Amino acid sequence: MGALPVLTTTASASAKGTSRTAAPTTAFVDPAARRQTIRGFGGMTHAAWIGDLTAAQRDTAFGTGEGRLGLSVLRLPVPENRADWSRDVATARRAAELGAAVFASPWNPPAHMVETFVHGSRTDARRLRHDMYGAYARHLNDFNGFLRNHGVNLYGISVQNEPDYAHDWTWWTPGELVRFLRENAGSLGTRVIAPESFNYTKTVSDPILDDPAALANVDIIGTHLYGTPVRNFPYPLFKQKGAGKELWMTEVYHPDSTSSADLWPQALDVAEHLHHAMVDAEFQAYVWWYIRRSYGLLREDGHLSKRGACMAHFARFVRPGYVRIEATATPAPNVYVSAYRGSSSVVVVATNKTTSPVSQQFTLKRGTASRVSSWLTDASRNVALQGTDGLSNGSFTAMLPARSVTTFVTA
């Protein structure tokens, strides 16, 4: 029994769990304490670099049934050459049909808009010519229109992928980004995303937040999280000046790109990373790098990886428009809890990174739910349905197996 997330009434489960591990603090969930609105969880497709997803893989990635990832956001590249614009349309169209928001990021402008300059020890670094800002805005607008004509309405478009880590693409200084946003971004026909720093370098995004004219033309402050320590996840300046804007994490793989995505318990790091991204950073979207890869959410054979299973605990159950609500984030050492409210349910995701099972009590304040269902991923199971049980005065207790992630959904 200790290996299963047994759902029981509060009194009996507490008694069963105390012999296995020290009793943790009750995890209180307050549906009335609203935090950020969730836009979704997603991944990147890039047919030119790794090949397109197959029809079956698209359905696995963006479907929400058993064995599916449940992604609700797709990121595309903006190819610099118009002849390449159709490469990712099939996946984008299917993702949109399944309800996903689609956005796009450019790596390079068209070649005739670029000039070389000296950047550190490099004499051939690339940047957008300053007299081409208007033409570049039209290029982005044309790509947006091309997709719209092919059945995909972009949720947003980025100015530049990783402008501060552009050894193999186009550099932008913070000042150049601000100038483009002030003078040209207002003409773009969809939401504007910037600056997509490679590791949440605030000195790249601060100037945007500090410039009212630039900020007025940005809809989403986007960033990547490569190597970013959790202590740098909070963003006080965004809280101060980002009213009406969204905050997205638009690219990451974690913890590395060299290990198999099925390595356990390393894959559990993904669940913890997602927890911190939602709770500490308060991101509204979390987007993985390649959807299908040896280190990705889908294995190369198109089946769910262990990393993908950890993502699915959020993506399948926390849908666009849900709101993160206050919950006891760490009711026990190395136990992480976050909670979300939909129109008729509360979703709680609990990650136990300890080597022992934890008997964890959950209490929903002012809750009216009468039952709760759960899904489990551990060393031998992937998002496996564990059954349904009742709540007692808004509380339930679950055995969280060692090194596991469990999603609970109330009804």
Side-chain angles (χ1 to χ4, degrees):
M1 182 176 293
L4 298 174
V6 180
L7 297 178
T8 69
T9 61
T10 301
S12 60
S14 178
K16 290 178 182 178
T18 52
S19 64
R20 302 301 301 271
T21 186
T25 302
T26 296
F28 289 99
V29 178
D30 188 353
R34 299 166 60 94
R35 297 297 181 254
Q36 76 269 30
T37 298
I38 304 302
R39 296 302 177 203
F41 302 86
M44 176 88 187
T45 189
H46 201 311
W49 289 357
I50 62 167
D52 200 3
L53 299 176
T54 67
Q57 290 165 359
R58 293 167 194 146
D59 286 353
T60 299
F62 296 97
T64 56
E66 295 297 321
R68 307 296 174 92
L69 261 171
L71 300 183
S72 52
V73 177
L74 173 67
R75 184 179 184 227
L76 305 173
V78 181
E80 57 195 89
N81 298 317
R82 289 173 180 258
D84 300 328
W85 282 2
S86 62
R87 279 178 174 161
D88 297 292
V89 165
T91 291
R93 185 184 294 122
R94 183 56 179 156
E97 289 172 353
L98 293 172
V102 181
F103 76 100
S105 300
W107 269 247
N108 291 299
H112 72 276
M113 299 183 190
V114 175
E115 65 183 3
T116 58
F117 73 109
V118 176
H119 187 276
S121 62
R122 294 187 56 176
T123 59
D124 60 347
R126 286 173 290 185
R127 68 184 174 198
L128 178 65
R129 286 169 42 187
H130 291 171
D131 63 343
M132 286 288 178
Y133 280 24
Y136 182 56
R138 289 190 292 274
H139 168 75
L140 297 180
N141 250 342
D142 288 348
F143 181 76
N144 178 45
F146 175 87
L147 284 185
R148 184 174 58 249
N149 291 337
H150 286 77
V152 180
N153 292 317
L154 283 183
Y155 188 89
I157 198 163
S158 173
V159 175
Q160 172 66 47
N161 171 74
E162 296 181 349
D164 53 337
Y165 191 76
H167 306 282
D168 296 318
W169 45 87
T170 302
W171 294 92
W172 291 65
T173 66
E176 288 168 338
L177 286 167
V178 166
R179 176 184 166 184
F180 179 84
L181 292 170
R182 287 173 59 99
E183 299 177 3
N184 304 99
S187 67
L188 299 181
T190 186
R191 296 175 185 84
V192 177
I193 304 168
E196 290 202 281
S197 165
F198 84 101
N199 73 344
Y200 212 3
T201 303
K202 305 299 198 301
T203 54
V204 180
S205 49
D206 282 354
I208 298 171
L209 291 166
D210 283 331
D211 189 297
L215 186 61
N217 289 332
V218 173
D219 301 279
I220 300 168
I221 297 295
T223 191
H224 301 173
L225 284 182
Y226 291 112
T228 311
V230 172
R231 66 178 179 273
N232 290 345
F233 277 24
Y235 199 176
L237 187 64
F238 178 83
K239 283 186 172 293
Q240 177 187 348
K241 297 189 175 183
K245 310 300 177 180
E246 298 187 6
L247 186 64
W248 287 30
M249 197 291 296
T250 56
E251 183 189 314
V252 79
Y253 53 75
H254 184 82
D256 58 44
S257 62
T258 55
S259 302
S260 166
D262 283 323
L263 188 63
W264 193 265
Q266 187 197 57
L268 199 58
D269 289 350
V270 174
E272 182 188 351
H273 198 251
L274 276 154
H275 167 87
H276 291 303
M278 295 295 105
V279 174
D280 297 283
E282 298 191 78
F283 289 123
Q284 296 173 261
Y286 182 104
V287 182
W288 194 262
W289 180 226
Y290 294 136
I291 295 172
R292 185 200 65 228
R293 206 62 170 165
S294 62
Y295 55 87
L297 307 175
L298 300 183
R299 303 195 304 255
E300 290 290 359
D301 64 6
H303 291 96
L304 206 67
S305 69
K306 282 293 187 184
R307 291 183 181 183
C310 289
M311 172 77 95
H313 275 275
F314 292 82
R316 268 184 58 189
F317 305 99
V318 182
R319 303 303 297 167
Y322 279 44
V323 176
R324 187 177 72 84
I325 54 179
E326 194 63 34
T328 305
T330 51
N334 293 308
V335 174
Y336 303 96
V337 173
S338 61
Y340 311 84
R341 180 180 179 179
S343 59
S344 59
S345 64
V346 169
V347 177
V348 179
V349 185
T351 301
N352 177 16
K353 293 196 74 178
T354 73
T355 57
S356 301
V358 172
S359 178
Q360 180 62 59
Q361 179 177 330
F362 299 88
T363 296
L364 276 65
K365 296 182 178 180
R366 298 177 290 277
T368 59
S370 61
R371 62 188 185 276
V372 61
S373 302
S374 68
W375 287 259
L376 168 71
T377 293
D378 60 7
S380 61
R381 290 166 286 194
N382 282 351
V383 205
L385 179 62
Q386 298 300 290
T388 301
D389 213 316
L391 275 69
S392 176
N393 297 320
S395 294
F396 66 95
T397 297
M399 187 66 75
L400 308 178
R403 291 174 169 169
S404 69
V405 55
T406 308
T407 295
F408 304 95
V409 181
T410 69

